[in-house]
Amino acid sequence: MTSEITLFVNPIAGGGRGARAARSAASALRDAGFHVSAVTGDGPEDALSRARTAVEEGTGALIAVGGDGMANLALQAVVGTGTPFGLVAAGTGNDFARALGMPLREPATSGRMIADALKSGRSRDVDLGRIGDRWFGAVLASGFDSRVNDRGNRMRAPLGRFKYDVAMVAELAAFRPLPYRITLDGGEVHEVEATLVAVGNGPSYGGGMRICPGADLTDGLFDITVVGECSRATLLRVFPRVYKGTHVDHPVVTVMRAASVELVAEDVTGYADGEYVGPLPLTARCVPGAVRVVGP
């Protein structure tokens, strides 16, 4: 394997942690004997184009440095190429890093782990979700949580993650369960009133909320968590349990498993790995072994 590897960097991830993390990870990789170059870009499209060029030119690995958005962007560049993918978690959510078992906000440790894996030839293939030509690693969210995202993205103030807390309060005041049609593997159909539906390739979203706690990156299946019709008071009681994954034991919550799922609901958008995908209907497919990962 070539010793030339590429760091794919979001320098502003985590309020500037991305740039500092890139320096620490690069130092660890160079100490292990690798030649490291960095790729950024003027916006997501330019960054993705540069990452794809690095992959096409034969980089030994593409290592994303940042949060879930950067990891998601890097996946678009490496899927189907055989180029190993690594992840140095330096963002706010870091849910795909959690699913992969990477340390959080420990860039030097992550760099050493990736270097050791590359030198020893240790890698593993993990599943990804696919929606059209878009890939995701962790969770496709829709319903209450995606409406919070919609509202938060429209808000100019307050800044940072606090605006999503404000958006959640506003959505709680206005939200009503929505009629969904959920089709599993092209056959089994469930018509339900749902507060939210989350399609998990990995277990968590939103910075450690284990919405699909049983999801496994290597089983070829999604875990689909459906929070059914419930009052605001019930939602407020159930939702805090998502951090431990025990919400799935509540009677209003149902978990299904499938290799593909179509979600149909009116006036609902989908977010995958925290990134806007588009309005429902959306069909997601779990693609086994879609990307080769280096790390633990």
Side-chain angles (χ1 to χ4, degrees), residues 67-128:
D68 287 320
M70 201 63 179
N72 182 274
L73 202 59
L75 291 175
Q76 316 308 312
V78 297
V79 168
T81 68
T83 299
F85 166 82
L87 181 54
V88 175
T92 304
N94 301 316
D95 288 291
F96 193 44
R98 284 183 174 86
L100 293 174
M102 292 299 295
L104 306 183
R105 300 176 188 170
E106 297 181 25
T109 301
S110 297
R112 288 191 291 270
M113 290 175 66
I114 292 168
D116 180 66
L118 288 169
K119 291 179 78 171
S120 65
R122 187 178 71 250
S123 65
R124 57 190 172 121
D125 293 338
V126 302
D127 307 341
L128 294 178

Side-chain angles (χ1 to χ4, degrees), residues 188-253:
E188 184 181 349
V189 177
H190 300 261
E191 295 193 2
V192 298
E193 295 285 325
T195 301
L196 66 85
V197 179
V199 179
N201 183 55
S204 71
Y205 67 179
M209 293 189 288
R210 294 177 58 80
I211 188 68
C212 301
D216 183 336
L217 293 179
T218 61
D219 65 356
L221 297 171
F222 292 129
D223 277 29
I224 302 137
T225 299
V226 180
V227 179
E229 184 174 9
C230 61
S231 67
R232 286 191 291 274
T234 299
L235 182 60
L236 285 169
R237 286 196 301 271
V238 172
F239 207 75
R241 295 167 59 175
V242 76
Y243 286 96
K244 292 185 177 180
T246 57
H247 61 291
V248 297
D249 299 325
H250 194 281
V252 301
V253 179

Side-chain angles (χ1 to χ4, degrees), residues 11 42-43 63 70 75-76 86 148 161 169 178-179 247 252 258 280 289:
D42 297 324
I63 301 167
M70 201 63 179
L75 291 175
Q76 316 308 312
V148 170
R161 289 185 64 84
V169 171
L178 300 164
H247 61 291
V252 301
L280 273 56

